[in-house]
Amino acid sequence: MNKPTLKSVAKALGVSTATISNAFNRPDQLSVALREKILSACAELGYDGPNKAAQSLRKGCSGIVAVILSDSLEYMVSDPVASQFLQGVARELERQSKHLLLYSGSADNLDSITDFVDGFICYGAPRNLKLIEQLKRCPKRVLTVDFDLPGRPSVNIDNEQAAYDSAMAVLKPGDRVAVLGLRLIDAADSRTVGTAPLWDNQSSVSHRRLDGYQRAMQQLGLTLSNELLWHLPESNQACAETAAKAVLSQSPAPTVLLCMSDLIALSAMRVALALGLRIPEQLRVVGFDGIEETLRYHPTLSSVWQFSDQKGEAAARAFQSGQDDNQLLSYELRLGESS
């Protein structure tokens, strides 16, 4: 049996296609009694309304906003910072009666969704850099968060200044400094950066944070040796522990760890405490993000709080506003027991 269509249902009920469409989409155009009669008859015929995909294509508006994540869905939904951001986006889109679609930054391309969404909020530079080239050419609205795309609006914090502030709060003249960085080079394992070229230097917030750390160190007459600048491919415990064990086993050991995420910093502190190091007497640690776990851990972590849920709300509002300016949101440096 063929699925009923708008035309076949209108013919069966003896009304116009416009009347059927109004019953589903513009109820104010019909009396309550007529609308209920039409909807009841449609239900009996197995017709559940005009095709939404076709309507979206005709109108050029679906009410769906795609959030392109920087990495795989599995990794991103388990990351507390990304989860906070997505909560904020979802909260604001729900206020606007819009819908959220999550899309992996490791996907091959955007072809499968471009026609069915109103546009893209891109959260971090996607792991597949080919998506960036597609976004540059995309005719739909594109807004970026935590990285910049020429000619597109963005929502960020000042990562370079925030990192500088955090470093200046913990560094002292004569310190031996290690940086546990995030996605600094194109490598799938935790390793020293060495002579490898920095990855995506123009758009990555990790490199802005590194710039801030290095500015603070330069101001205090400190240098960062190659063996103490580490690349971590992901912000998780396993990657952080690998780097922290290698760094803290050096002689002389670093006196300060500058960490590009709170998860990295917390993992590094666990390694340090297991090795018998006293925090902050022998090792000072500062993180970046402001996740709730830092408040429950002892010693409490000094960190840059960037309020990711508020960032998500701001990104969703900026996307809907249609404005093309770049926003810099505020952050707070909160000093804990680790410094």
Side-chain angles (χ1 to χ4, degrees):
M1 182 177 177
N2 292 331
K3 185 176 180 180
T5 65
L6 177 62
K7 288 184 178 180
S8 66
V9 169
K11 183 177 180 180
L13 299 182
V15 297
S16 68
T17 56
T19 299
I20 301 292
S21 180
N22 285 339
F24 283 94
N25 301 313
R26 292 177 292 277
D28 58 311
Q29 301 296 307
L30 304 176
S31 68
V32 173
L34 178 57
R35 181 171 185 262
E36 290 180 351
K37 178 182 177 181
I38 290 174
L39 292 179
S40 177
C42 286
E44 291 180 8
L45 293 171
Y47 179 70
D48 55 7
N51 184 280
K52 298 299 182 183
Q55 284 183 329
S56 297
L57 289 173
R58 287 195 301 270
K59 295 178 180 178
C61 177
S62 65
I64 301 172
V65 179
V67 173
I68 303 176
L69 303 170
S70 60
D71 218 309
S72 69
L73 293 179
E74 179 183 8
Y75 169 62
M76 295 300 291
V77 298
S78 65
D79 179 75
V81 181
S83 295
Q84 288 178 12
F85 174 79
L86 292 173
Q87 287 173 20
V89 173
R91 187 182 304 128
E92 183 58 32
L93 289 181
E94 190 170 6
R95 290 191 191 111
Q96 302 168 8
S97 298
K98 303 294 182 181
H99 304 286
L100 170 63
L101 172 68
L102 298 183
Y103 202 71
S104 171
S106 301
D108 292 334
N109 57 64
L110 305 175
D111 295 344
S112 62
I113 63 170
T114 299
D115 289 341
F116 301 101
V117 299
D118 294 340
F120 300 93
I121 296 174
C122 195
Y123 180 47
R127 183 171 289 276
N128 180 3
L129 297 182
K130 293 179 181 178
L131 298 185
I132 294 179
E133 296 305 314
Q134 280 194 280
L135 289 168
K136 289 179 180 179
R137 303 189 302 268
C138 181
K140 300 286 183 76
R141 180 162 174 77
V142 175
L143 179 139
T144 64
V145 179
D146 287 352
F147 85 110
D148 294 312
L149 204 58
R152 303 289 191 173
S154 65
V155 173
N156 295 297
I157 67 166
D158 189 338
N159 281 275
E160 194 273 344
Q161 184 62 40
Y164 169 83
D165 292 344
S166 69
M168 289 299 294
V170 299
L171 292 176
K172 299 176 182 178
D175 272 330
R176 180 169 167 83
V177 184
V179 172
L180 301 188
L182 185 60
R183 294 176 66 182
L184 291 173
I185 60 176
D186 186 13
D189 59 336
S190 296
R191 61 172 70 182
T192 58
V193 169
T195 58
L198 294 180
W199 178 85
D200 192 25
N201 187 38
Q202 294 304 310
S203 63
S204 170
V205 295
S206 294
H207 297 296
R208 301 290 74 75
R209 294 174 190 177
L210 180 59
D211 290 343
Y213 294 153
Q214 291 179 319
R215 176 159 66 95
M217 293 178 66
Q218 184 178 24
Q219 187 169 322
L220 293 172
L222 304 173
T223 58
L224 179 62
S225 61
N226 285 341
E227 69 270 16
L228 292 178
L229 174 59
W230 274 72
H231 153 83
L232 280 67
E234 294 182 353
S235 177
N236 63 33
Q237 183 175 338
C239 293
E241 287 184 349
T242 297
K245 288 175 181 177
V247 165
L248 296 176
S249 66
Q250 293 191 22
S251 182
T255 55
V256 175
L257 292 183
L258 303 178
C259 303
M260 289 193 187
S261 82
D262 288 346
L263 284 179
I264 293 172
L266 292 175
S267 298
M269 286 203 297
R270 282 190 285 269
V271 170
L273 293 172
L275 292 173
L277 294 173
R278 299 190 308 277
I279 300 174
E281 293 83 3
Q282 293 176 291
L283 179 68
R284 280 158 276 138
V285 183
V286 66
F288 205 110
D289 286 328
I291 62 175
E292 294 298 322
E293 187 180 351
T294 63
L295 305 177
R296 298 188 293 269
Y297 192 81
H298 179 73
T300 56
L301 177 66
S302 297
S303 183
V304 173
W305 282 65
Q306 58 173 326
F307 311 106
S308 294
D309 59 334
Q310 297 177 26
K311 183 191 287 185
E313 291 184 20
R317 284 195 300 270
F319 178 89
Q320 287 298 116
S321 73
Q323 296 181 357
D324 290 327
D325 57 330
N326 296 331
Q327 293 186 43
L328 277 182
L329 305 180
S330 61
Y331 61 87
E332 287 182 18
L333 176 62
R334 297 185 180 181
L335 298 181
E337 298 164 339
S338 68
S339 59

